[in-house]
Amino acid sequence: MQIDRRALLKRAGQLALVTGLMPQRLLAAPLGANPFMLGVAAGDPWPDGFVIWTRLAPRPLDEHGGMPHAAVPVGWEVSEDERFSRVVRKGETLARPELGHSVHVELGGLKPHRHYFYRFTVAGSDASPVGMARTAPAAGVLADRARIAVAGCQHWEAGFFDAWGHLAREPDLDLVFHYGDYIYEGAARPLGGAIVRQHVGGEIYSIDDYRRRHALYKSDPHLQAAHAASAFAVSFDDHEIDNNWAGELDQDGTPPEYFLLRRMAGLQAWYENMPVRRAQLPNAHGITAFRRLDYGRLLRMHVLDTRSHRSDQPCNDGKIQPCPTEAHVSPTMLGATQENWLDQGLGSGATWNLLAQQVLTLPYARHRPGEAGNWTSYDTWDGYRPARARLVETIRRHDLTNVVIASGDFHRNFVGTLPEREEALDGKMAAVEFLATSISSNGNGGALPGVERDLADNPHLKMINNVRGYHLFDITPKRWKTQVRAIDQVEIPGGKIRTLDTFVATPDRSEVHKA
């Protein structure tokens, strides 16, 4: 009998993909050191489970994290108690060099709306830290409460991550939404002034560059503690790749075919370092980062991607001047596929709809002291007015008054409402928006010159300030309460946290009020 070698190899490859046993060299000897230096994390909870993550890196900033070029078996356990006396799931997977020795285990078969503990092991090495996460309520159940934190923009060089340590100690969190700017891509800058600790290396371009930058950020103990304390729903904004990138374009005029190589490297490193599902694994065509998380009938969370599918910012990202508001007509922020997906998902009948996305949605006419008139941003939804009009129309078509938007990127706190018509800022509103400030980006912050005029010119806004911290959402069937949590300083360690203000909304009206 003749054997077709090419067909045999093809069939073997297909079998390997199905079984997950891709032929490759396994580690022959124990690592002999703690490979869990980057901590553990969980993400994207469903009623029957969530993702658990780790990445092996005994020497995180060394080449390949100090790992050999071999696949490493990693054991995992999930327990109902922190002592692991009631283990309900366990298994083994491979940490592969092709994915930076990261591990993503998608758990199933767990009970809804309860806490579980998880950990990882590697033969001959220390066990990982223990993480905790909570499954979502069962479908159809009206849960009495969900508690979600919102944070992002954590520039390593601009400040310390004590806010993450405070967030890790917030009681009874169901989820943390990280809206993006998990890392910053720039080169190391000299210490002093606004730079309190340095990046390692130059501006990042290659997969190895992005992996090392993620490892640097993941080495922070406060960030590790936050990941171990609660499940995350993670998105990305611009600095995971390059400042103000849009679709296939960067801000420097790089030919798209070259920028796409950098984007692919950045997105692969993002996947490797985040507790997301295999559905978010990037490929040659990009990434499907938008997805939904349901908390029974209480809440539907739409995690959006406002980077991958958007058109270019108006006026070449504001470089062409003048660029009046009338020119802010970049056509799409989400892309047609994501817009249709969002429109279909808004009809679920959930008590609340949360649009978890990256950049300021509501109009913001901003005053610059010493300059006549106001200006509006190019990179926010203000630069994409046709896209924002379609978003408002989608909300109106479903006759919704229960839409809350969670945003970030601006390094400030905003609380306000999204007008149905941008020429009627004091008219009927389509949604409530809470934009969370940065964890550390822009340093300590401080007073904002001209803020009183900004609030007067923007009657739909209830708050603008320039402090660091995060938001806490306390969601019940009858009330949405947001606490604006502020840390007093980030440029030296040891900042203290407090509740700066509290705001309340109800599902029957697109309004927000100070509590």
Side-chain angles (χ1 to χ4, degrees), residues 13 40 207 260 309 311 370 386 396 447 469 480 487:
V40 299
I207 182 65
L260 285 174
H309 313 286
S311 47
R396 289 177 56 186
W480 186 297
I487 193 166

Side-chain angles (χ1 to χ4, degrees), residues 301-324:
M301 182 175 180
H302 314 259
V303 181
L304 304 183
D305 174 1
T306 61
R307 285 289 163 190
S308 301
H309 313 286
R310 66 158 74 184
S311 47
D312 198 11
Q313 292 92 345
C315 303
N316 191 22
D317 203 12
K319 297 182 182 71
I320 300 172
Q321 292 293 333
C323 185

Side-chain angles (χ1 to χ4, degrees), residues 140-405:
V141 171
L142 182 60
D144 57 2
R145 183 189 186 200
R147 190 165 165 83
I148 298 174
V150 181
C153 286
Q154 52 199 51
H155 191 175
W156 178 271
E157 296 185 311
F160 294 90
F161 291 177
D162 294 80
W164 280 120
H166 290 294
L167 192 152
R169 294 186 288 275
E170 296 286 359
D172 201 29
L173 282 179
D174 287 278
L175 189 69
V176 177
F177 170 52
H178 195 299
Y179 58 74
D181 290 347
Y182 197 98
I183 61 169
Y184 280 69
E185 80 283 8
R189 293 184 285 174
L191 288 172
I195 305 303
V196 301
R197 54 182 180 172
Q198 291 177 295
H199 282 156
V200 175
E203 184 162 349
I204 54 180
Y205 291 90
S206 71
I207 182 65
D208 290 330
D209 293 341
Y210 282 104
R211 284 171 174 166
R212 184 163 70 160
R213 187 60 54 85
H214 275 281
L216 175 67
Y217 279 57
K218 275 284 201 307
S219 69
D220 187 276
H222 297 296
L223 180 56
Q224 287 192 20
H227 275 295
S230 175
F232 273 52
V234 184
S235 190
F236 53 80
D237 196 27
D238 52 341
H239 289 288
E240 284 87 349
I241 313 295
D242 185 40
N243 182 55
N244 281 12
W245 68 276
E248 299 181 356
L249 305 171
D250 70 359
Q251 64 176 356
D252 302 316
T254 303
E257 62 269 26
Y258 300 151
F259 173 67
L260 285 174
L261 297 175
R262 183 183 188 183
R263 190 184 80 169
M264 183 67 181
L267 289 176
Q268 179 179 336
W270 176 82
Y271 173 83
E272 291 173 355
N273 286 277
M274 297 299 133
V276 291
R277 296 180 183 272
R278 188 172 179 82
Q280 277 66 65
L281 177 67
N283 56 46
H285 304 291
I287 190 170
T288 303
F290 56 90
R291 58 204 189 272
R292 292 191 188 96
L293 299 173
D294 286 333
Y295 280 74
R297 291 191 292 115
L298 176 64
L299 173 72
R300 168 160 280 190
M301 182 175 180
H302 314 259
V303 181
L304 304 183
D305 174 1
T306 61
R307 285 289 163 190
S308 301
H309 313 286
R310 66 158 74 184
S311 47
D312 198 11
Q313 292 92 345
C315 303
N316 191 22
D317 203 12
K319 297 182 182 71
I320 300 172
Q321 292 293 333
C323 185
T325 300
E326 294 75 23
H328 290 205
V329 290
S330 284
T332 184
M333 179 69 84
L334 303 177
T337 298
Q338 189 175 188
E339 283 189 11
N340 292 335
W341 169 88
L342 177 60
D343 180 67
Q344 294 167 11
L346 284 172
S348 70
T351 304
W352 295 97
N353 279 282
L354 172 59
L355 307 189
Q357 52 100 60
Q358 292 72 46
V359 293
L360 183 67
T361 308
L362 55 80
Y364 177 34
R366 183 177 176 187
H367 174 64
R368 280 175 165 168
E371 295 185 11
N374 290 328
W375 68 281
T376 53
S377 297
Y378 315 108
D379 194 53
T380 71
W381 287 79
D382 265 334
Y384 295 75
R385 291 165 54 234
R388 184 168 61 197
R390 291 194 302 275
L391 175 64
V392 169
E393 180 56 31
T394 291
I395 295 171
R396 289 177 56 186
R397 186 166 56 253
H398 289 281
D399 195 24
L400 297 176
T401 56
N402 64 356
V403 176
V404 175
I405 304 171

Side-chain angles (χ1 to χ4, degrees), residues 14-217:
Q14 291 170 339
L15 179 62
L17 288 172
V18 171
T19 62
L21 299 176
M22 186 68 74
Q24 61 178 284
R25 186 169 66 89
L26 295 181
L27 183 69
L31 293 174
N34 178 12
F36 301 107
M37 298 294 289
L38 303 182
V40 299
D44 284 12
W46 290 353
D48 67 339
F50 39 80
V51 181
I52 56 174
W53 169 96
T54 194
R55 180 181 160 209
L56 306 183
R59 298 184 302 279
L61 299 185
D62 285 3
E63 187 177 18
H64 308 301
M67 290 293 293
H69 288 288
V72 179
V74 178
W76 55 268
E77 291 181 301
V78 179
S79 175
E80 294 180 343
D81 70 307
E82 196 169 6
R83 298 187 306 275
F84 286 80
S85 63
R86 299 195 303 274
V87 173
V88 295
R89 291 286 183 277
K90 62 181 179 179
E92 187 175 89
T93 188
L94 288 178
R96 301 175 182 273
E98 295 91 341
L99 289 176
H101 288 102
S102 62
V103 169
H104 300 74
V105 179
E106 297 188 21
L107 300 172
L110 302 182
K111 297 176 183 177
H113 210 210
R114 66 163 298 156
H115 287 104
Y116 288 92
F117 300 86
Y118 61 93
R119 65 185 178 189
F120 299 90
T121 57
V122 170
S125 300
D126 297 329
S128 77
V130 174
M132 181 180 70
R134 191 179 194 179
T135 51
V141 171
L142 182 60
D144 57 2
R145 183 189 186 200
R147 190 165 165 83
I148 298 174
V150 181
C153 286
Q154 52 199 51
H155 191 175
W156 178 271
E157 296 185 311
F160 294 90
F161 291 177
D162 294 80
W164 280 120
H166 290 294
L167 192 152
R169 294 186 288 275
E170 296 286 359
D172 201 29
L173 282 179
D174 287 278
L175 189 69
V176 177
F177 170 52
H178 195 299
Y179 58 74
D181 290 347
Y182 197 98
I183 61 169
Y184 280 69
E185 80 283 8
R189 293 184 285 174
L191 288 172
I195 305 303
V196 301
R197 54 182 180 172
Q198 291 177 295
H199 282 156
V200 175
E203 184 162 349
I204 54 180
Y205 291 90
S206 71
I207 182 65
D208 290 330
D209 293 341
Y210 282 104
R211 284 171 174 166
R212 184 163 70 160
R213 187 60 54 85
H214 275 281
L216 175 67
Y217 279 57

